[in-house]
Amino acid sequence: MLDPISLTPQSLVDRKKRVSYTRILSHLFEKGSSSIAKLAKELHTSVPSVTAMLDDLIKSEWVIEMGAAKTKSGRRPVYYDLNPKKKIILVLDVNIYQTNFVFIDLRNEIVTKTTFRIDLESKDYLKKIIHELDQLLQINPHPWAIGISAPGLIETSTGFNHTHLNVNLGDKSLAEVLEEKYDLPVFSINDTRASLLGEHHYGFAKNKSNVLLINLDWGVGLGILHNGQIVEGSAGFAGELGHVQIVPDGELCHCGKVGCLDTISSAASIVRKANRGLADNKPTSLAEIKGDVTLADVIHAAIHGDEFCIDIIYEVGSELGKGLTMAVHLFNPEVIIIDGILKNAGDLIVSTIRQSIHKYCLAPFKSNLDIVISPLGEDSKVFGTKAFTFKNMMALYRK
């Protein structure tokens, strides 16, 4: 059977029918398996109409029958779900020092994952990405679409990265370049927002309405779920907590401003503090390390009782707590999720942030506030980018 989703509508009736198909698929994607009666109720459609559309979607392999549900009495309803193998999405998980190429199905099973160490600040970053993609697309399943998560100020409408300009080609975004080259739909999202979207679908933010996700990476990003909606802002730049000024006479930030939270509470700031301490001959086990000190070295030493490194983590967590207090007062979240590479410090960073928020936050805001480390880890970003790409593909089909 021809795919009813991808067929070009020949009439208004065809267009409305395709919209109905996408509504069913979107519901199954977000809510999981469902019965015909439940779908009809949720989508405000008749049972015969849902039955007919499900039949088309089963024949075209978009939907699979899951079997009858277990009930204590009466007729057992048959449940249906999205066919996870129907489409493969390629996620480009862009980080400062490496990029992951992840082929993933519609139910989060990773088909292949390939990691390349490509510095985001490299002048030939785009050339290297295309070279690797050319190789991977020859040996992997042809993707339905490409989703890109990356750090920086990413414009919603174009995917243009205003922070890491080497990702773009002139005035064209990476998404626009790849879409043109590979004739595939490509969508870009900020990495912190992607992580929050992953948590919203599959993690601690599921079934919650007001959540903050703090991405403690080489910069500090904030994802905001407010009244069940992820906040983007007018251009897609909402949540740049790392560039809120904390120290008016502080260090110069890479953004050109002075005293940003990034300068005192990011992964990069931790490494700088460690190197300064070593230069000042501070007593620390880091002095035994040959070569450059890494973030992993500092965290490992802190976890194993190194007083100097514990003090660094404590200072960073305290400043983060101050910055987060502003966000807590603005958005009144029910939970704060800690993500990014600094989450590897575990309770050292969580307890310090919690103490700082307790100190600076008004009592009514913190009475029911939970602070947790993301259980999904790096997967939250990949899962969120996949969900973002699926949503955009359904929107394309509705046009």
Side-chain angles (χ1 to χ4, degrees):
M1 178 183 176
L2 293 174
D3 191 334
I5 302 297
S6 58
L7 287 175
T8 303
Q10 300 298 314
S11 65
L12 181 59
V13 172
D14 289 341
R15 185 173 297 278
K16 287 183 176 179
K17 198 170 182 180
R18 188 161 76 166
V19 168
S20 296
Y21 287 134
T22 62
R23 290 177 65 208
I24 290 174
L25 294 177
S26 295
H27 182 85
L28 293 176
F29 179 83
E30 293 180 10
K31 306 295 183 181
S33 62
S34 183
S35 66
I36 291 175
K38 189 175 179 181
L39 277 170
K41 182 180 179 180
E42 292 286 339
L43 302 176
H44 307 289
T45 307
S46 69
V47 167
S49 293
V50 170
T51 303
M53 286 188 287
L54 277 176
D55 185 53
D56 288 344
L57 291 171
I58 289 171
K59 289 177 181 175
S60 58
E61 299 181 343
W62 271 105
V63 170
I64 52 178
E65 185 178 311
M66 302 298 292
K70 293 181 179 180
T71 57
K72 292 182 179 179
S73 61
R75 187 176 179 180
R76 298 190 300 169
V78 175
Y79 271 65
Y80 301 86
D81 202 355
L82 200 66
N83 177 8
K85 307 301 181 187
K86 174 64 176 178
K87 296 292 183 183
I88 298 295
I89 291 172
L90 170 56
V91 172
L92 265 63
D93 172 22
V94 178
N95 299 285
I96 296 293
Y97 298 114
Q98 67 180 38
T99 295
N100 301 309
F101 298 79
V102 184
F103 289 80
I104 185 170
D105 73 14
L106 299 181
R107 282 291 183 239
N108 293 343
E109 182 175 333
I110 294 175
V111 181
T112 64
K113 178 179 178 180
T114 310
T115 301
F116 292 102
R117 297 197 65 80
I118 308 173
D119 193 322
L120 193 56
E121 298 305 319
S122 170
K123 290 184 178 180
D124 56 352
Y125 177 84
L126 188 57
K127 182 179 178 181
K128 290 179 179 179
I129 283 290
I130 289 175
H131 173 76
E132 301 301 345
L133 268 176
D134 284 343
Q135 307 302 311
L136 289 171
L137 289 174
Q138 291 180 24
I139 58 176
N140 285 280
H142 185 72
W144 181 38
I146 298 175
I148 305 169
S149 72
L153 297 173
I154 296 177
E155 201 167 324
T156 301
S157 59
T158 64
F160 191 88
N161 195 316
H162 290 263
T163 304
H164 303 285
L165 297 177
N166 290 332
V167 174
N168 313 300
L169 180 62
D171 60 354
K172 280 187 178 181
S173 69
L174 175 61
E176 291 171 322
V177 171
L178 298 185
E179 191 166 85
E180 187 176 297
K181 177 172 175 58
Y182 298 109
D183 194 26
L184 285 169
V186 185
F187 310 97
S188 289
I189 183 173
N190 169 267
D191 58 352
T192 303
R193 200 165 296 126
S195 293
L196 178 57
L197 193 56
E199 293 288 345
H200 189 36
H201 278 284
Y202 312 107
F204 272 137
K206 190 173 183 179
N207 301 321
K208 289 183 170 56
S209 297
N210 295 282
V211 176
L212 298 178
L213 182 142
I214 183 79
N215 184 15
L216 306 180
D217 215 276
W218 296 102
V220 178
L222 183 70
I224 306 161
L225 181 71
H226 184 60
N227 292 336
Q229 299 295 318
I230 292 181
V231 177
E232 292 189 1
S234 61
F237 303 153
E240 280 297 319
L241 186 67
H243 296 291
V244 172
Q245 188 184 67
I246 299 294
V247 185
D249 57 349
E251 295 181 26
L252 178 67
C253 181
H254 63 84
C255 73
K257 309 300 181 183
V258 172
C260 293
L261 185 61
D262 265 9
T263 64
I264 54 176
S265 296
S266 63
S269 74
I270 288 178
V271 175
R272 285 199 302 272
K273 292 174 197 290
N275 284 322
R276 285 173 188 165
L278 286 169
D280 292 338
N281 294 315
K282 296 284 186 181
T284 170
S285 60
L286 296 179
E288 301 171 6
I289 295 173
K290 295 180 180 179
D292 295 333
V293 170
T294 67
L295 176 67
D297 294 329
V298 179
I299 291 175
H300 180 270
I303 290 173
H304 287 82
D306 186 293
E307 187 176 341
F308 170 68
C309 293
I310 290 173
D311 286 344
I312 291 177
I313 300 296
Y314 181 83
E315 181 184 352
V316 165
S318 296
E319 296 299 336
L320 281 168
K322 286 182 188 178
L324 273 172
T325 295
M326 290 187 282
V328 169
H329 286 161
L330 285 171
F331 296 103
N332 188 25
E334 51 199 300
V335 62
I336 295 174
I337 301 173
I338 296 176
D339 197 14
I341 53 179
L342 276 187
K343 71 177 182 297
N344 295 329
D347 192 57
L348 278 176
I349 192 74
V350 174
S351 60
T352 309
I353 290 173
R354 185 179 286 117
Q355 289 171 17
S356 185
I357 289 176
H358 183 76
K359 179 179 179 179
Y360 296 106
C361 194
L362 293 175
F365 285 86
K366 62 189 178 186
S367 58
N368 295 309
L369 178 62
D370 198 12
I371 302 174
V372 296
I373 289 179
S374 167
L376 296 177
E378 284 297 304
D379 287 341
S380 64
K381 193 170 22 169
V382 174
F383 295 168
T385 307
K386 184 218 67 179
F388 174 75
T389 304
F390 182 90
K391 179 181 177 181
N392 277 279
M393 287 302 293
M394 291 295 105
L396 274 183
Y397 288 137
R398 292 189 189 109
K399 288 183 178 179

